[in-house]
Amino acid sequence: MKIFVDTANVAEIREAVSWGVVDGVTTNPTLAAKEGKPFLPILKEICSLTKGPVSAEVLAEDAKGMVEEALPLAKVAPNVIIKIPMTAEGLKAAGELKNRGIKTNVTLIFTANQALLAAKAGATYASIFVGRLDDIGEDGMQPVRDAVQIYKTYCYKTEIIAASIRKPEHVLEAAKAGAHVATIPFPILKQCLGHSLTDKGIQRFLDDWKKVRK
Ligand code: E4P
């Protein structure tokens, strides 16, 4: 499973990339706004930190506007992926951008049927929001499992991103479900890295070594 880091924070991305486990980055308007700076220079810097895909979201609500917004974003770097909302207009824009050779990530997907339509429209990625479904009492991983099966059955090339990841268990479940990608907030990625017994184990090895090697 590929790992994307779900943040627009350059320091977090730099750190995660240094671990050698990051295959790409996803941002969204909320994450970008948190940085309190103009987005284009941030996007440029993020694209310089990884060769992997970097998703940048459009805000227009009509297909024409989405395509117009996408064009300058796509020019920032060759690894920019245009993130588009899962609406009829979004699907139109995804098709149009595909015709122009621009890759897309159809976002805000909550059902396997929406994921099916995103694949039909030619999206490069389909982002299924697991955590937000869990928030309303549903099993957020179920549409991921269903979409994985559907994409396999019909050999769709679109890659499924398990998004809105809230805890390490989501990462594990996404991997077990066969998601192509999990996009993970940096604090959750850090939780995946650590275990208290790892820390205790290191300390014990150091202490034992010191006892005999003065
Ligand atoms: C996906 O690409 C989104 O940026 C993201 O995963 C949203 O997650 P949230 O529900 O934590 O905002």
Side-chain angles (χ1 to χ4, degrees):
M1 182 175 72
K2 289 176 205 163
I3 289 180
F4 291 177
V5 61
D6 195 26
T7 179
N9 184 279
V10 167
E12 288 184 345
I13 296 164
R14 186 174 287 118
E15 174 65 14
V17 166
S18 76
W19 300 349
V21 299
V22 170
D23 300 294
V25 175
T26 51
T27 68
N28 66 37
T30 305
L31 295 171
K34 261 200 218 164
E35 296 308 302
K37 290 186 266 183
F39 183 56
L40 273 192
I42 296 180
L43 179 62
K44 202 169 186 176
E45 195 171 356
I46 295 172
C47 290
S48 73
L49 295 175
T50 175
K51 287 196 173 71
V54 177
S55 290
E57 192 156 341
V58 294
L59 290 157
E61 291 177 74
D62 63 303
K64 190 168 169 286
M66 288 178 196
V67 171
E68 277 167 12
E69 252 184 79
L71 297 179
L73 288 173
K75 282 202 183 109
V76 167
N79 51 337
V80 169
I81 308 292
I82 305 302
K83 218 172 176 191
I84 286 191
M86 175 61 218
T87 59
E89 291 299 304
L91 293 183
K92 284 185 215 170
E96 172 61 25
L97 290 170
K98 188 181 182 202
N99 291 338
R100 293 171 184 244
I102 295 172
K103 293 180 177 171
T104 56
N105 173 358
V106 172
T107 189
L108 290 165
I109 292 182
F110 293 92
T111 69
N113 277 337
Q114 289 179 313
L116 171 63
L117 295 180
K120 299 280 298 178
T124 315
Y125 299 97
S127 289
I128 303 178
F129 277 45
V130 174
R132 291 194 198 184
L133 281 168
D134 283 1
D135 290 346
I136 58 162
E138 291 190 25
D139 175 5
M141 205 53 73
Q142 194 52 45
V144 174
R145 293 185 201 104
D146 291 340
V148 166
Q149 191 188 334
I150 293 165
Y151 282 18
K152 265 196 193 135
T153 303
Y154 295 101
C155 302
Y156 290 127
K157 297 260 184 306
T158 306
E159 294 194 18
I160 295 160
I161 302 180
S164 186
I165 295 280
R166 299 276 159 77
K167 49 189 179 181
E169 289 78 8
H170 279 154
V171 178
L172 176 63
E173 288 304 317
K176 281 162 64 180
H180 301 87
V181 184
T183 189
I184 310 172
F186 186 62
I188 310 295
L189 191 60
K190 275 212 297 213
Q191 285 180 41
C192 293
L193 172 79
H195 194 283
S196 59
L197 288 178
T198 307
D199 300 338
K200 271 191 192 158
I202 292 169
Q203 198 52 54
R204 191 189 295 174
F205 286 148
L206 289 174
D207 293 345
D208 290 346
W209 187 250
K210 271 188 222 150
K211 280 179 208 157
V212 291
R213 303 264 313 188
K214 293 259 159 86

